[in-house]
Amino acid sequence: MDPDSNPLSELIQSRQSTRKYLDKPVPREAIERILDLTHLAPSATNSQPWRFIVVDDPELKVAVAKCLTSPLLPSMNTFAKEAPALIVVVEEAANVAAKVGNLLKKQHFSRIDIGIAVGYLTLAARSEGLDTCVIGWLDNKKIQDILRIPREKTVQLVVSLGYSDDPMRPKTRKKMDKIRSYNTY
């Protein structure tokens, strides 16, 4: 198969972090298809330690978007209020096997699993002609208050979602010999 004609390759190459969105709502049917694919992501011992809260109510969306900025950097993430939808990613409790693995391996597998799931989410969104931006700078407590998320939960990420009004940018990446080796570091 020609790598350039591979549908997954096309999705990956066309996916970019979008910070400018068209004023066009995202159909809930598209969001459902995206989340149907996202929940197929693998997780440690199949614990699926995530919950996705779709925020498409305009007032709630603006309130959550305000939790993605900082007094130190007031212009940071202000684009999020213009996105038609935000997907708040909440870390849920892992199953017992994953918790044991966390302790034995001194690794927080749920966060790794959430990263994998959000990777699926961004590609599933792209397959619907939608664009995303993954946002990690957030005020967990304020988002918990706005969305009535229990205190024992943690908001790990927020993903903006919509139709891009950003031009496609060239991808700048490290050269492969800086990130790849075989059989040794």
Side-chain angles (χ1 to χ4, degrees):
M1 175 184 272
D2 176 10
D4 292 331
S5 67
N6 177 327
L8 180 59
S9 177
E10 291 172 14
L11 284 175
I12 291 170
Q13 290 178 43
S14 68
R15 193 260 157 212
Q16 66 181 7
S17 293
T18 293
R19 291 175 180 84
K20 189 174 181 189
Y21 293 94
L22 296 173
D23 184 18
K24 179 179 175 184
V26 176
R28 284 210 172 164
E29 299 80 23
I31 294 171
E32 288 301 312
R33 288 189 297 271
I34 291 164
L35 293 177
D36 281 345
L37 292 173
T38 299
H39 100 280
L40 296 174
S43 59
T45 68
N46 198 30
S47 65
Q48 303 168 56
W50 48 64
R51 182 175 183 95
F52 303 98
I53 302 173
V54 178
V55 182
D56 59 0
D57 174 272
E59 289 180 22
L60 273 179
K61 185 178 56 79
V62 169
V64 170
K66 287 179 181 177
C67 300
L68 309 176
T69 62
S70 165
L72 299 172
L73 301 164
S75 65
M76 184 174 56
N77 297 330
T78 57
F79 68 90
K81 69 180 179 294
E82 304 302 328
L86 298 174
I87 300 175
V88 176
V89 185
V90 180
E91 182 179 343
E92 293 291 313
N95 62 24
V96 173
K99 287 179 183 177
V100 169
N102 289 345
L103 293 171
L104 293 176
K105 299 311 277 177
K106 296 182 175 126
Q107 184 71 268
H108 195 101
F109 291 109
S110 293
R111 290 188 187 143
I112 295 167
D113 296 339
I114 285 170
I116 294 167
V118 169
Y120 272 49
L121 189 154
T122 64
L123 292 177
R126 191 69 213 115
S127 76
E128 291 282 338
L130 293 157
D131 288 288
T132 56
C133 187
V134 179
I135 304 164
W137 186 285
L138 54 87
D139 187 323
N140 178 63
K141 187 176 180 315
K142 286 182 182 175
I143 296 174
Q144 285 176 319
D145 290 343
I146 293 165
L147 299 178
R148 296 183 297 215
I149 299 168
R151 285 283 180 235
E152 68 273 9
K153 310 290 183 187
T154 303
V155 176
Q156 292 293 347
L157 298 166
V158 174
V159 181
S160 61
L161 176 69
Y163 296 96
S164 179
D165 197 21
D166 262 347
M168 190 66 182
R169 299 178 302 274
K171 296 193 183 306
T172 55
R173 298 293 186 261
K174 294 178 182 177
K175 297 208 180 292
M176 286 302 294
D177 64 347
K178 299 291 183 194
I179 65 163
R180 176 203 58 228
S181 62
Y182 290 93
N183 303 315
T184 187
Y185 186 84

